[in-house]
Amino acid sequence: MTIPHPIPYQGSKRRIAHEIIAYFPRDAERLIEPFAGSAAVSIAAAYYSKSKYFILNDINEALMNLWHNIVNRSETTTNEYEKLWFAQKGCEREYYNYIRDEFNKTQNPNYFLYLLARCVKGSIRYNSKGEFNQSPDNRRLGMHPTTMRKQIFGASRLLKGKACIKCADYKDMLTLATPQDIVYMDPPYQGVCGNRDPRYFSDVAFHDFIKILQQLNSENISYILSYDGRTDLKSYGKPLPNSLELTLIEIEAGRSTQATLLGRCAYTIESLYLSKALVSRLGKVTVPQKKFQSFLVEESR
């Protein structure tokens, strides 16, 4: 079985998940993902037996209801997707708009999966009312039902009976973390900077987030943070303070999807930050040699 990926999501860590889980401690019993999204890291960790149990959380309720269905109702979920996929034939744009309207009324997770499969580059967008408003990619019909079935059943086999699926504030999930766990956090890039961003269902305030990281440090929690990043054209994200004593790992993540959407060509460098407790637990961390000039991590003001 190849690593499944049932939820096409812009910003997914699927391409670099194997590099992220390389920094998991060998004795991690449980992985906590407070910003689960497409859960690419949890799926990879389950595939490579990097953790035995998983807590998947996201503030987006429709997304987490979809994950519950994928993990625990895989047959029903694949059947519903197949019905929607074939029903669109001949009126693809009109049908997408209809399902989008119905989803905004009902929050039906099956509708959400169809929209994620059909929308432009898997790039979700929300308006000021919190309604899904991304347009369809008119060049394609979305993942074929046969392929989607393989992805959903694959994810279910890896996570069923091992995953607790939650929809709560990330702060509440982090109170569950113990020194024996590994926490992986992938908060909204622009949201963490305090700016409204239609790509994300909810914002994360920068200063609140720093306080949470300080609390995790005081409790000796092992965590990995995908926080900021850059392309070869521009850096993103407010720098984290040196006082957090984080180890920075830079990972080349390929061509920027967002830049492509804007008609530009740029390559993404993802930043991983390892907590002091994790580095101590690992014993030794080799920082890969950087091929691009990195921006400085300095004290936030």
Side-chain angles (χ1 to χ4, degrees):
M1 182 179 71
T2 57
I3 300 178
H5 189 63
I7 296 181
Y9 220 60
Q10 185 190 35
S12 167
K13 294 300 184 288
R14 182 187 184 190
R15 287 185 294 184
I16 63 170
H18 65 288
E19 297 192 60
I20 295 172
I21 65 175
Y23 296 101
F24 278 27
R26 293 181 180 273
D27 59 347
E29 289 284 317
R30 185 173 66 170
L31 166 59
I32 301 175
E33 273 207 81
F35 308 94
S38 69
V41 171
S42 284
I43 290 174
Y47 183 88
Y48 288 108
S49 300
K50 290 285 189 174
S51 181
K52 295 180 181 179
Y53 305 100
F54 306 86
I55 295 180
L56 304 182
N57 178 76
D58 201 285
I59 197 65
N60 188 329
E61 186 174 6
L63 177 62
M64 299 323 288
N65 285 337
L66 174 56
W67 266 119
H68 173 81
N69 287 353
I70 287 172
V71 174
N72 300 299
R73 303 180 63 204
S74 53
E75 183 68 40
T76 300
T77 303
T78 54
N79 289 342
E80 290 300 316
Y81 177 81
E82 184 174 8
K83 289 178 185 177
L84 294 169
W85 194 88
F86 280 108
Q88 71 182 332
K89 292 293 188 70
C91 54
E92 290 83 0
R93 179 61 185 259
E94 294 80 5
Y95 190 76
Y96 177 94
N97 291 340
Y98 167 73
I99 294 298
R100 185 176 61 188
D101 289 342
E102 289 300 303
F103 169 71
N104 285 327
K105 293 175 187 175
T106 67
Q107 297 296 295
N108 184 321
N110 295 316
Y111 293 165
F112 195 36
L113 179 60
Y114 169 78
L115 294 173
L116 289 171
R118 279 287 324 273
C119 71
V120 176
K121 297 292 184 182
S123 174
I124 62 173
R125 292 290 187 272
Y126 294 98
N127 62 22
S128 60
K129 297 179 182 179
E131 297 172 328
F132 186 95
N133 67 346
Q134 180 62 295
S135 300
D137 185 340
N138 294 313
R139 299 168 301 174
R140 58 190 184 87
L141 299 179
M143 191 184 297
H144 191 277
T146 301
T147 303
M148 181 65 81
R149 177 174 291 269
K150 292 178 181 177
Q151 303 303 314
I152 288 175
F153 273 76
S156 180
R157 282 195 294 270
L158 288 172
L159 296 175
K160 191 171 185 178
K162 304 174 185 177
C164 178
I165 298 170
K166 298 283 189 179
C167 177
D169 189 281
Y170 78 96
K171 299 174 187 176
D172 295 333
M173 290 299 101
L174 290 174
T175 63
L176 303 176
T178 71
Q180 289 72 47
D181 296 326
I182 178 67
V183 177
Y184 172 67
M185 291 177 281
D186 184 21
Y189 284 176
Q190 301 303 319
V192 177
C193 302
N195 300 322
R196 175 72 172 86
D197 192 318
R199 289 176 295 173
Y200 302 106
F201 197 78
S202 179
D203 291 331
V204 177
F206 176 80
H207 291 292
D208 288 347
F209 190 61
I210 297 303
K211 289 179 181 178
I212 292 295
L213 296 181
Q214 291 169 340
Q215 181 64 32
L216 293 176
N217 286 346
S218 71
E219 296 173 359
N220 206 36
I221 302 300
S222 298
Y223 63 84
I224 300 174
L225 170 63
S226 288
Y227 171 67
D228 46 30
R230 60 191 175 87
T231 67
D232 42 354
L233 301 176
K234 184 178 180 180
S235 295
Y236 297 93
K238 202 169 182 178
L240 294 168
N242 286 332
S243 58
L244 291 173
E245 299 184 84
L246 303 175
T247 297
L248 171 62
I249 306 291
E250 288 197 319
I251 298 175
E252 296 177 47
R255 188 168 179 173
S256 168
T257 304
Q258 184 63 20
T260 300
L261 285 173
L262 298 174
R264 300 195 299 265
C265 180
Y267 289 85
T268 301
I269 310 298
E270 296 271 4
S271 295
L272 289 186
Y273 292 89
L274 313 185
S275 70
K276 185 177 180 180
L278 175 58
V279 172
S280 176
R281 194 169 168 187
L282 292 173
K284 182 180 180 181
V285 173
T286 301
V287 179
Q289 185 177 3
K290 300 169 188 174
K291 297 182 181 179
F292 299 92
Q293 181 180 355
S294 175
F295 55 89
L296 296 176
V297 179
E298 56 190 29
E299 288 289 339
S300 63
R301 297 174 184 265

